[in-house]
């Protein structure tokens, strides 16, 4: 028995409708989570194959209703890819355009002014927030020289975690620039603004980094141990969903 074009069309429409229903179920379940959830958990909950769920998640990311993030493992191993529903939010592009007009007529002028604002922002962060690490333990006032970079990076990780960057503090390493710690930032809360106007968003976060280094260094002035010279760097979007912050102690 031959299947006519009309029958094939109806079959295609039915398949498409079923796929849309699956995608809506995936989206609904992602929205039920306040934290990133991975494809394996969603597949188990929905009774679908993980590959099918990833297909729908990719489509939802393309539509802008879901965004990728990272889920850090409790033990060793690379972080898993997580998915988070995009909440309704203000249009930061409008804010960026206004800032661009008000802060200067060149990108360099805007960058310098916003970095200065970021440093002032760091000064306003309460010490009770700044001097707790991500485990909620207070960092001691007296630390040896080898611990300065580790302590400083923990402070910055705390602040960026509370800002929603999803940070991961990596292991310490020695480089030609000195001792350093790298903080991997997986989820920029103003990603669209940062991509459209890096001289505004990225400069603000760079200034904040620099201000946190300066602020904590000033606090350590009464320590019996002399602090090494330190500076911070921010490398935006080294990957589509990843920025790097570095805290470096010069020898």
């Amino acid at each position: 028995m031959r299947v006519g074009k009309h029958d094939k069309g109806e079959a295609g429409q039915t398949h498409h409708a079923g796929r849309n229903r699956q995608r809506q179920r995936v989206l609904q379940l992602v929205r039920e989570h306040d934290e990133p959830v991975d494809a394996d958990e969603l597949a188990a909950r929905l009774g679908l194959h993980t590959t099918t769920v990833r297909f729908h998640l990719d489509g939802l990311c393309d539509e802008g209703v879901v965004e990728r993030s990272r889920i850090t493992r409790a033990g060793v191993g690379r972080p898993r890819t997580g998915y988070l529903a995009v909440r309704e939010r203000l249009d930061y592009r409008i804010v960026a355009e206004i800032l661009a007009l008000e802060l200067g007529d060149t990108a360099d002028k805007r960058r310098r002014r916003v970095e200065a604002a970021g440093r002032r922002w760091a000064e306003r962060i309460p010490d009770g927030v700044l001097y707790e690490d991500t485990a909620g333990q207070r960092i001691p006032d007296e630390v040896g020289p080898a611990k300065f970079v580790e302590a400083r990076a923990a402070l910055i990780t705390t602040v960026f975690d509370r800002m929603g960057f999803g940070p991961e503090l990596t292991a310490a390493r020695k480089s030609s620039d000195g001792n350093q710690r790298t903080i991997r930032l997986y989820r920029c809360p103003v990603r669209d603004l940062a991509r459209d106007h890096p001289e505004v968003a990225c400069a603000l976060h760079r200034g904040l980094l620099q201000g946190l280094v300066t602020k904590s260094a000033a606090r350590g002035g009464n320590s019996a141990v002399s602090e090494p010279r330190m500076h911070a760097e921010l490398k935006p979007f080294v990957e589509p969903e990843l920025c790097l912050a570095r805290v470096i102690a010069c020898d």
Side-chain angles (χ1 to χ4, degrees):
M1 179 178 178
R2 297 182 62 185
V3 178
K5 292 183 179 179
H6 180 71
D7 294 329
K8 289 183 178 179
E10 286 186 349
Q13 290 175 3
T14 301
H15 175 72
H16 184 70
R19 189 169 65 182
N20 284 343
R21 285 195 294 271
Q22 281 187 348
R23 185 160 298 184
Q24 283 302 118
R25 290 172 60 203
V26 172
L27 177 58
Q28 182 179 352
L29 191 55
V30 173
R31 283 175 171 167
E32 292 177 4
H33 292 76
D34 293 326
E35 298 294 328
V37 58
D38 68 6
D40 290 337
E41 180 177 345
L42 292 170
R45 291 278 303 276
L46 294 168
L48 298 173
H49 195 279
T50 302
T51 302
T52 301
V53 172
R54 286 202 183 100
F55 168 77
H56 289 307
L57 288 168
D58 288 343
L60 293 168
C61 288
D62 292 340
E63 294 171 16
V65 294
V66 168
E67 61 185 4
R68 295 178 183 85
S69 183
R70 289 289 186 274
I71 303 175
T72 304
R73 297 178 184 274
V76 296
R78 294 181 60 82
R80 293 171 290 140
T81 299
Y83 298 87
L84 191 66
V86 175
R87 310 297 180 186
E88 186 175 351
R89 51 196 175 196
L90 295 175
D91 189 348
Y92 282 105
R93 290 183 177 88
I94 297 175
V95 178
E97 295 296 340
I98 294 172
L99 288 173
L101 290 172
E102 295 295 328
L103 292 171
D105 54 359
T106 68
D108 183 64
K109 186 180 293 185
R110 293 191 291 270
R111 178 187 56 77
R112 286 187 281 107
R113 289 179 175 177
V114 176
E115 282 185 3
R119 290 191 290 271
R120 290 195 296 272
W121 182 12
E123 294 172 1
R124 292 177 176 267
I125 296 177
D127 285 352
V129 172
L130 189 61
Y131 298 110
E132 289 182 357
D133 66 14
T134 51
Q137 299 174 338
R138 189 174 180 83
I139 295 173
D141 293 338
E142 303 290 336
V143 293
K147 293 291 185 180
F148 275 118
V149 172
E150 182 177 345
R152 196 68 47 80
L155 302 181
I156 292 171
T157 301
T158 298
V159 173
F160 275 73
D161 182 54
R162 297 190 181 192
M163 290 169 61
F165 276 88
E168 177 194 6
L169 181 58
T170 65
R173 72 182 183 89
K174 179 86 171 181
S175 72
S176 59
D177 297 324
N179 293 295
Q180 66 175 265
R181 293 296 296 271
T182 297
I183 306 166
R184 300 170 69 87
L185 306 172
Y186 289 107
R187 190 167 69 235
C188 177
V190 291
R191 179 176 53 195
D192 291 340
L193 172 59
R195 284 176 172 158
D196 290 346
H197 292 275
E199 80 280 11
V200 175
C202 299
L204 181 66
H205 298 142
R206 186 179 294 108
L208 176 63
L209 275 173
Q210 295 166 352
L212 291 173
V213 168
T214 302
K215 180 173 182 175
S216 52
R219 174 182 178 272
N222 295 327
S223 173
V225 180
S226 176
E227 286 202 27
R229 290 185 299 110
M230 289 193 185
H231 67 279
E233 296 178 351
L234 178 65
K235 295 186 179 298
F237 299 117
V238 295
E239 295 178 10
E241 307 294 333
L242 175 66
C243 301
L244 298 178
R246 289 195 175 98
V247 180
I248 303 170
C250 303
D251 293 331

